[in-house]
Amino acid sequence: QVQLVESGGGSVQPGGSLRLSCAASGSIFSINAMGWYRQAPGNERELVAVSFSGGRTNYADSVKGRFTISRDNAKNTASLQMNDLKPEDTAVYYCNARGVHFVGARPFDSWGQGTQVTVSS
């Protein structure tokens, strides 16, 4: 079992910045991808940014140039630096990790509990 703990959400004015952090723990042999998704009320959960083990990253078009994802593979952590936040970035942000368990080499796809980000003047 793999647990993800997120931190760093909150409220900020438009144009402000926030940094989200996620730490994975448990039976982890490797993490192939670690990323952030978000879900606003009435909307489906959508990809924000993902970092793959080889170093490649993907971003939603709406956050390119404003958000940056980073990973520490040794510590099984990921962060999302969010700059120039807009009201439309308001959502619950979820950390996701996909990889392989240490025991049995079974795959896992785990989610954090979510952290609220509110952008409002």
Side-chain angles (χ1 to χ4, degrees), residues 20-70:
L20 305 182
S21 297
C22 176
S25 62
S27 175
I28 300 171
F29 176 74
S30 64
I31 296 179
N32 302 324
M34 204 161 178
W36 294 91
Y37 291 71
R38 67 187 180 187
Q39 187 168 18
N43 291 355
E44 294 185 354
R45 191 172 297 187
E46 63 176 2
L47 173 69
V48 177
V50 60
S51 174
F52 297 95
S53 57
R56 182 169 60 92
T57 56
N58 281 348
Y59 294 90
D61 288 343
S62 60
V63 307
K64 285 181 180 176
R66 300 187 297 122
F67 292 11
T68 303
I69 188 170
S70 59

Side-chain angles (χ1 to χ4, degrees), residues 5 7 33-34 38 43 68 76 80 90 92 112 114 120:
V5 178
S7 61
M34 204 161 178
R38 67 187 180 187
N43 291 355
T68 303
N76 290 329
L80 184 69
T90 296
V92 177
S120 174

Side-chain angles (χ1 to χ4, degrees), residues 57-102:
T57 56
N58 281 348
Y59 294 90
D61 288 343
S62 60
V63 307
K64 285 181 180 176
R66 300 187 297 122
F67 292 11
T68 303
I69 188 170
S70 59
R71 274 179 66 179
D72 185 329
N73 293 327
K75 296 181 179 180
N76 290 329
T77 60
S79 296
L80 184 69
Q81 178 64 41
M82 305 184 293
N83 297 329
D84 190 22
L85 282 159
K86 305 176 185 299
E88 51 264 41
D89 295 317
T90 296
V92 177
Y93 283 69
Y94 296 91
C95 180
N96 171 259
R98 286 173 278 152
V100 178
H101 279 293
F102 186 77

Side-chain angles (χ1 to χ4, degrees), residues 95-115:
C95 180
N96 171 259
R98 286 173 278 152
V100 178
H101 279 293
F102 186 77
V103 177
R106 294 174 292 109
F108 67 84
D109 184 351
S110 296
W111 292 88
Q113 79 283 1
T115 184

